[in-house]
Every structure is written in structure tokens, then in C-alpha cells.
Amino acid sequence: MTAPIFSTLGCRLNAYETEAMKELAASAGLSGAVVVNTCAVTAEAVRKAKQEIRKLARENPGAAVIVTGCAAQTEPETFAAMPEVTRVIGNTEKMQPETWATLRAPDLIGDTEKVMVDDIMSVRETAGHLIDGFGRHRAYVQVQNGCDHRCTFCIIPYGRGNSRSVPAGVVIEQIKRLVDKGFSEIVLTGVDLTSWGADLPATPRLGDLVMRILRLIPDLARLRISSIDSIEADENLMQAIATEPRLMPHLHLSLQAGDDMILKRMKRRHLRDDAIAFCEEARKLRPDMIFGADIIAGFPTETEEMFANSLKLVTDCDLTFLHVFPYSARKGTPAARMPAVKGPEVKSRAARLRAMGDAALQHHLAAQIGKTHHILMESPRMGRTEQFTEVQFATDYPEGQIITAQITGASATTLLA
């Protein structure tokens, strides 16, 4: 039988967990199966998951189809009702070796229940899943899972559960192992990364973890932080931004909107001026710092004036990489009951935000021409700068090597060297 086929939808955390699942499935001897790791962030994400399941079932006749991830956790009955689906497993279950043992063919269908999804809110711990990273250049280390906040548009806490942290010692040992294997860059990842430590003894903060990693692992060349909630940035994190050159100067911020009333209706914990102040402070501490951000277009009750504040936030915060979400109602969330913006207007606003993002990226790319960067090679002719900007090369370099090169030009989306 053939090795399982894995398909990942959604966030980097899902991609990380897929790598862990591959190892668990291999250890269990699972074969002849298709595994779809779903996302639930929008209604569109659920639609795409169904589409992916049907496509893979057609392409792999006779294979067992296993569905997991956030959409499977929040809507198990939706996927269990699909004739293509053999089993539905939850976000906790997908990380447990015993789950994969029970999924092993030929007993996959058997007499067991089709749905294996427990109450995610009862989970109290997050294990540090030991994987070998992606490719030979960068590894992602999950240090936190779940979220204690209840933004009115978000279904993710019901797919991931409440916030749980991986103890610092476990994180340090995993990163040491990955550095010993030759990884040049480590990315700390989680659902609500800045909540790391709140459930651990002495309640350490993310900045404490960052400083400890950099102090105890001197051979780590580059440490990167994934998406954070800027309002929760602690003093030590800001200190690391100011003093640690191995902490990369790129932060992706969960901003979501630039209008105070919309932020309140989203039940966010920051206001517009908080976001601007954070970006100004971080850039003062680290002048080469650049920012990405998540922004939702067309949130319920959003007027044109309110949306204009989100557009203006791109320049006020000097954002470079935008991740734009056209608002999509998620059943069971408070926002789904609020007065909706008409669909064509939502699409129009999302397009305008993306155009702002394209212009911001072009501005950043143009400013890099003539500068020298340390670039981590992800493939023979493509690497990324410290600021995570893609660079294309005309000649080959070893994957995983950090090279020093001068930027000679730019295309629409990448730098040239």
C-alpha cells in the first residue's frame, strides 16, 4: 500500500501539525489513506475543504479519507455526512499516536465510530510536537495552542480550545535538536502567541521565552516570531527587538481593523492608536523592522467612513505585507447576527485594501535596491531577507545557507540579486 497523502489548508500552524501527523502516521504504519487538515477561519475555508475532499477522493479511488483540523473540530457532522469521508478526527486526537494506530488499515472502517472529536475546551496541555521542520532551511516550533479571547467574528477558539503553553524547557530542547540538525532559522508559532506562559508556573511572557532561547542557544542563527497580538507585547519582547540582532525584524500583527468602533464590535482589546503606537515604538527600537497585518474588510456595520480608517491604517502603521480577509460570517459567532455589509461592497473593500497592500509592498521593494541583506536560501535560486522579503537569484546557491548579497532590482512582488 502507498503512504498517506496529506493536504493542508489554512495557517502555518496547520502546516506544522501536518508534518507532525506525517510522522505519527508513518510510525503507526498507516497506508492507503488521504488526510485533509482543514481550516475554519471563514465560511469560504469550509467550502474549500469540502472541495478539496471531493477532489482527492476522485483522484484516489479506494483510499480512506480522513478529515481533521479546525473545521472538523467545529463542524464534525458536516464532514461526517459527506459520502467521501471515512473518518473525522479532532484537533486533539490528530496529535495522539493512539489515534493513528486505530486508523491503520485495514481496520480503518471497521466497527469504530466515524467521528473521533472530543470537547476541545477540556484540553489543558499542549505537547511540543517533535518534528524535523520544513525543507532544510527553516523549522517551525509550536509553543502555544488555543485562545482565551472571544473576538466576535472568530470560531477558532472552538476549534483549538483555550490557551495552552509548551514549557520553556521543552521548547529549548526541541530548538537545540533542530539547530544540531542544521536548521538556520526557527519560527515560533501558535494560535495566540503572545499569551504564551500565562498558564505556566510563574506566568512567564513571550519575551522571556525569546530571550531565553537566544541566550541558551548561541548557535541559532535566526529566530523569527509568527503572528502576534501587539497589545500583549511585553517589556522583554520589546527589549529583544531592541538588542537582539538574531531576532528577525519582521512582525505579523493581528490588527483586523483600523476603526475604533469596529474594533469594539469585534471585541478586540486594542484601539487604532494602540496599533500605531506599537509600530512606532518597535520601529524606533529597530529601525529596519517591518510589519505584516491581518485586516478584515466589510465587517458587519462597517460604513465607508469606518473602512477608510482601515485603509489609512496601512500608511499610519507603515504596513508592508497585508493579509486581507473579506468578512465571511461564521455560524455561531456574535458577528454573524450583526447587520451585514452587502456582498459586492465587501469584495470591493477587500480589493481596495489589497491594492493598498500591493502599493506598500512596492514601496518596500524599491527601498531595498542597493542595500545588502543576509538571505536564507529556501531553494537554489530563492531566499528571504531578515525582513522575510523574497529574493530571486540568477545563479544557484546551496539551500539552507545564509548568503550576503546586494539587492540589484525588484519585480512586482520580489527582490532581485
Side-chain angles (χ1 to χ4, degrees), residues 150-325:
R150 297 296 181 264
C151 298
T152 59
F153 56 85
C154 189
I155 199 75
I156 297 305
Y158 305 98
R160 291 282 178 178
N162 291 319
S163 181
R164 294 98 65 199
S165 307
V166 179
V170 175
V171 175
I172 296 292
E173 287 305 311
Q174 183 175 1
I175 294 176
K176 284 181 177 177
R177 185 178 68 88
L178 292 165
V179 170
D180 288 344
K181 285 179 174 288
F183 287 96
S184 299
E185 182 174 297
I186 300 296
V187 184
L188 303 183
T189 187
V191 174
D192 182 26
L193 196 56
T194 37
S195 71
W196 180 87
D199 57 324
L200 297 176
T203 59
R205 303 292 300 275
L206 179 62
D208 302 322
L209 179 64
V210 168
M211 296 290 270
R212 187 171 175 184
I213 290 168
L214 293 169
R215 183 177 72 252
L216 296 179
I217 313 178
D219 292 337
L220 172 61
R222 292 160 63 138
L223 180 66
R224 197 177 291 279
I225 299 173
S226 63
S227 180
I228 68 167
D229 199 337
S230 59
I231 199 69
E232 291 186 329
D234 62 276
E235 185 177 344
N236 269 347
L237 182 57
M238 303 310 290
Q239 179 72 7
I241 289 171
T243 63
E244 293 287 355
R246 289 184 294 150
L247 179 62
M248 294 295 96
H250 167 242
L251 292 173
H252 190 84
L253 309 177
S254 179
L255 298 182
Q256 309 305 345
D259 181 82
D260 284 349
M261 181 56 71
I262 292 298
L263 287 166
K264 289 178 181 179
R265 288 171 180 167
M266 287 179 167
K267 207 175 178 181
R268 300 293 293 165
R269 285 157 295 126
H270 72 275
L271 297 175
R272 172 193 183 81
D273 286 347
D274 296 323
I276 295 169
F278 172 82
C279 291
E280 289 176 348
E281 181 183 3
R283 192 172 281 110
K284 182 179 179 180
L285 296 172
R286 186 78 176 266
D288 60 342
M289 179 69 73
I290 69 169
F291 304 101
D294 296 329
I295 300 182
I296 295 173
F299 186 81
T301 77
E302 182 184 73
T303 64
E304 181 60 29
E305 182 181 6
M306 292 171 175
F307 175 68
N309 285 330
S310 287
L311 280 178
K312 194 170 182 293
L313 192 69
V314 177
T315 53
D316 288 345
C317 286
D318 196 9
L319 304 176
T320 297
F321 301 110
L322 289 195
H323 192 180
V324 176
F325 293 87

Side-chain angles (χ1 to χ4, degrees), residues 370-375 391 393 397 403-408 416-417:
K371 292 184 178 180
T372 298
H373 280 283
H374 303 296
I375 300 160
V391 185
F393 292 82
Y397 290 93
I403 69 163
T404 301
Q406 186 179 49
I407 304 303
T408 58
L416 306 175

Side-chain angles (χ1 to χ4, degrees), residues 14-25:
N14 258 12
Y16 172 90
E17 290 175 342
T18 292
E19 296 302 309
M21 285 192 289
K22 286 178 181 178
E23 294 191 1
L24 291 169

